[in-house]
Amino acid sequence: MLTPEELNALYLSAKVAGFATVICLPFAILLAWVLARYEFRLKYIVEALLQMPMVLPPVVLGYLLLVVFGGNGWIGQWLQQWGIQLAFNWKGAVLAAMIVAFPLMVQPIRLSFQLMNPQLEQVASSLGVHPFKVFCSISLPLAFPGILIGSILCFSRSLGEFGATITFVGNIPDETRTIPIAIYSLLQQPDGEQIALRLVLLSLGLAFAALLANYWIMQKYQRKIQEC
């Protein structure tokens, strides 16, 4: 059985990952659509910026978030005037998770849009259907497997985010101590290895379940394509 401290870390991780996934989703769909459908100058810069969180050290991302959104940061000072504090707060953990996991959400959605038959959209448009209605009634349903896979990847990556989170929001019990930070804290304690092992096994189980879900969705989607 998990202790109250472990349950709090699990609840906080799920809350952070859930908010990060929900907030990222509309922006990921929009960006994936633009990258899949349009060619424009400086597109390579947009794609490079999209992939930056994947190659930068997480501590660097956390430091940049602290510089920009901290109490003395460029945006952080303005947010504090409205009573919004991100540094050393669970909301800041959501922001860190969003930035780190956003590329993982965009790529599957973009691939779904690229694999889609554009003639379906063209036929609907030729019949006088509004472009937004075409997008909502044809494009989004056909891209649903990619959206679902991207959401699972974003949620899973957010659950495991550590470096940027601990740099930006610290290690505050019941506020910013997610599962990875709780494991780190327990390993610093003399007798914390046994409790840390339970959280490690829990993390392994969640990650494995996410990968199985992705595999199942991909297999089902491929069978559907073959039947068509």
Side-chain angles (χ1 to χ4, degrees):
M1 296 295 293
L2 297 177
T3 64
E5 181 181 357
E6 295 169 323
L7 289 174
N8 286 334
L10 178 60
Y11 167 74
L12 181 60
S13 295
K15 181 170 72 170
V16 169
F19 273 97
T21 303
V22 171
I23 297 173
C24 280
L25 187 57
F27 299 101
I29 292 175
L30 177 61
L31 182 58
W33 169 261
V34 171
L35 293 176
R37 285 290 184 266
Y38 297 101
E39 294 294 332
F40 52 90
R41 193 175 296 179
L42 302 181
K43 181 179 179 180
Y44 64 95
I45 293 181
V46 175
E47 294 186 347
L49 291 174
L50 174 64
Q51 298 301 326
M52 282 286 283
M54 301 292 293
V55 297
L56 276 177
V59 176
V60 173
L61 289 175
Y63 175 75
L64 292 176
L65 287 173
L66 198 58
V67 169
V68 177
F69 294 97
N72 297 321
W74 310 330
I75 301 177
Q77 292 180 342
W78 178 76
L79 290 176
Q80 282 192 340
Q81 295 178 0
W82 297 88
I84 302 174
Q85 180 179 350
L86 296 179
F88 308 106
N89 187 284
W90 72 270
K91 301 180 184 68
V94 172
L95 178 61
M98 286 172 55
I99 293 176
V100 172
F102 188 71
L104 292 175
M105 176 178 274
V106 172
Q107 295 305 331
I109 303 175
R110 178 184 180 179
L111 183 60
S112 291
F113 283 134
Q114 289 175 335
L115 295 176
M116 192 183 306
N117 187 354
Q119 293 181 349
L120 297 174
E121 300 168 329
Q122 294 171 4
V123 170
S125 299
S126 66
L127 295 175
V129 181
H130 192 275
F132 182 74
K133 189 173 182 180
V134 172
F135 178 77
C136 293
S137 60
I138 296 178
S139 304
L140 276 183
L142 291 176
F144 180 74
I147 294 173
L148 185 57
I149 291 173
S151 299
I152 293 174
L153 290 176
C154 180
F155 185 86
S156 303
R157 181 64 184 86
S158 299
L159 281 176
E161 165 51 30
F162 172 75
T165 302
I166 197 171
T167 306
F168 182 41
V169 299
N171 182 6
I172 306 174
D174 300 331
E175 181 66 32
T176 65
R177 184 173 290 178
T178 57
I179 290 179
I181 297 177
I183 294 173
Y184 172 79
S185 300
L186 289 168
L187 291 177
Q188 309 306 309
Q189 300 175 11
D191 300 322
E193 293 184 3
Q194 190 67 29
I195 302 177
L197 179 60
R198 291 203 298 265
L199 291 178
V200 168
L201 294 175
L202 177 62
S203 300
L204 288 172
L206 292 173
F208 187 66
L211 293 174
L212 285 179
N214 283 338
Y215 177 80
W216 179 80
I217 295 169
M218 286 299 299
Q219 290 296 314
K220 186 175 181 180
Y221 185 51
Q222 289 176 357
R223 286 196 299 267
K224 186 176 180 180
I225 291 177
Q226 293 174 356
E227 292 173 357
C228 296

